[in-house]
Structures are given as C-alpha cells and as structure tokens.
Amino acid sequence: MNEIIINCDDITKVYGKKENAVTALRGIDLQIYKGELFMLVGPSGCGKTTLISIIAGILDPSAGTCEVLSKDVGKARQSELVNFRAKNIGFVFQAFNLLPALTAAENVAVPLLINGFSLKHSVDKAAILLDKVGLKGREKALPSQLSGGQQQRVAIARALIHEPKIIVCDEPTSSLDHVSGQKIMELMQELCREKGNTMIIVTHDNRIFKYADRIGKMDDGRIVSIES
C-alpha cells in the first residue's frame, strides 16, 4: 500500500472576499495510498467536507494543488471533471441527494447509466448491491417511502455500483444504527481489500474508527496529526 493516488500540496480554500472572507483550509498537505481506508475526523466546521469536496473535484482550491490519479483536479476543465468523476469517483453525500422520482434501484443505477450501460443491466446490478446493503425487497421504493437510514444505504450503494477507484463518504453511518453501520463498514473494508478501492471517510462516529488504516485529525482548517 505505497502507491500515492491522492496528493494534496499546500491546499488553501477561502470562501468569500475581503472582509467577508472565511478561510476553511489552511495549507493542507496530505497523501493517500491506493487501497487505503482513510478517515478524517475533527470538530464540525474544521474543513473536513471542504477537503473531500476538493479531492472529489466538486470544489476548486483557492491555492495549492490536488492531484487525484495523477490529474490536477483544481486546474481541470469542468467537462473533463464530469467524465473523470463518472469513471473514477463515488461520493456519498451527507444529505444523500437521491432523485425523488426514481426508485431505490434506479437511484443506485444512475452512475452506470451515465457510463453508458443499459437500463436493464444497471437496475439488475443495483438490485444485487441493494441486497448487500440490507435493502432486499425495497428496490422499487421511492426515497419518500424509505427511512433516513434506508436512504443512506441507497446513497452508499450508488457510490459503490460503478466500482470507482476512489470512494468519498461524508458521514456514511450517521443515520444508521450500530449493527447497520458495522455491516456497511465491513462491506466498504472488504471492497478496499479485494478490489483495491481507496476510501476516504469523514466521520464523527468513533465506533467505526477501528476500520481505518489511518486517521487524519483536523482542526481549524489544518491536519494536526495522522495516526495508523
């Protein structure tokens, strides 16, 4: 596990301008390895979600460079980033971001459809993954018919379905009970081990710390320590 696939060099992120400027990240240096399950922890507002959003190519850094799979995501054109994310990155948003008019299986299938697979293949594969995250029999349910925990599992399945090289998760177990959270983390850890996926997880849930290869602690826009 020594191939660096994410390299953040002196990343700074400032929101707003002049007297309204808020500095969210203050010179982040971070390397993450292939096949690693890396967790980011720290108090709310310390910059964790901003950092993973830059890594995923959703936000641009104000300064510094972020290379992901040898691509400088901060300098890439938006059209390039859309294709890059579609193939290489799965993202579990804290707000789930499920499409309300689509069933659970259709929501999970979206990344495969974006990558050109047929609807039948995509939905069939989605059903298999929904079974793995404990939602067998709920494939045709709309998001409004699912609990918060069930919606979270749909969002996790959607991030995993296209087998991206990098999976970025913002609080993936926050709406899950202890047993469900453990099952999800075991599935994610298994992916890292078997398929060499790299996983970055922002969490406040100390019950899942044991699944991490390394834990980066953040405070006030900085990484203050990294522990194995």
Side-chain angles (χ1 to χ4, degrees):
M1 194 172 62
N2 54 8
E3 180 187 346
I4 295 172
I5 65 167
I6 296 167
N7 186 27
C8 298
D9 183 17
D10 201 21
I11 295 287
T12 298
K13 180 63 179 178
V14 180
Y15 295 103
K17 294 181 179 178
K18 296 184 178 178
E19 65 273 9
N20 295 319
V22 176
T23 302
L25 298 178
R26 305 170 186 272
I28 295 285
D29 293 315
L30 177 65
Q31 290 77 43
I32 296 176
Y33 303 105
K34 181 179 180 182
E36 179 174 30
L37 201 161
F38 187 92
M39 289 187 187
L40 278 170
V41 304
S44 296
C46 72
K48 302 184 300 295
T49 297
T50 296
L51 178 55
I52 62 170
S53 297
I54 288 172
I55 289 170
I58 295 170
L59 286 177
D60 291 331
S62 301
T65 58
C66 181
E67 290 189 350
V68 180
L69 299 168
S70 300
K71 187 177 192 68
D72 187 339
V73 293
K75 292 187 172 65
R77 294 194 303 272
Q78 197 57 40
S79 57
E80 286 181 89
L81 281 175
V82 169
N83 291 328
F84 179 76
R85 286 197 303 263
K87 288 182 169 57
N88 298 299
I89 295 176
F91 203 116
V92 181
F93 296 90
Q94 195 168 1
F96 312 145
N97 290 5
L98 300 181
L99 298 170
L102 300 186
T103 65
E106 289 165 345
N107 265 288
V108 174
V110 165
L112 290 181
L113 296 171
I114 289 172
N115 280 304
F117 290 92
S118 71
L119 178 61
K120 183 180 187 310
H121 169 83
S122 302
V123 171
D124 286 350
K125 188 169 181 181
I128 292 168
L129 202 47
L130 285 169
D131 184 14
K132 281 191 175 181
V133 298
L135 288 177
K136 186 175 178 62
R138 304 294 281 154
E139 299 87 355
K140 294 183 179 179
L142 296 171
S144 61
Q145 298 169 320
L146 299 171
S147 69
Q150 289 173 327
Q151 289 182 48
Q152 191 148 26
R153 281 181 270 177
V154 172
I156 290 166
R158 180 182 58 190
L160 300 178
I161 194 166
H162 58 304
E163 299 179 10
K165 293 182 176 72
I166 298 167
I167 301 157
V168 182
C169 306
D170 197 356
E171 301 283 1
T173 60
S174 62
S175 294
L176 303 178
D177 61 69
H178 180 61
V179 172
S180 297
Q182 298 283 315
K183 286 181 179 176
I184 290 296
M185 286 310 304
E186 285 165 9
L187 175 63
M188 290 181 167
Q189 190 179 56
E190 181 184 327
L191 273 172
C192 286
R193 299 292 179 265
E194 289 186 4
K195 299 187 177 180
N197 304 77
T198 299
M199 203 159 295
I200 308 161
I201 296 176
V202 166
T203 186
H204 287 99
D205 187 353
N206 59 15
R207 299 172 302 177
I208 67 170
F209 287 1
K210 64 184 180 182
Y211 293 101
D213 294 305
R214 290 188 301 156
I215 296 177
K217 293 184 177 179
M218 290 190 68
D219 196 14
D220 193 26
R222 296 181 174 90
I223 292 179
V224 294
S225 69
I226 295 179
E227 301 172 1
S228 296

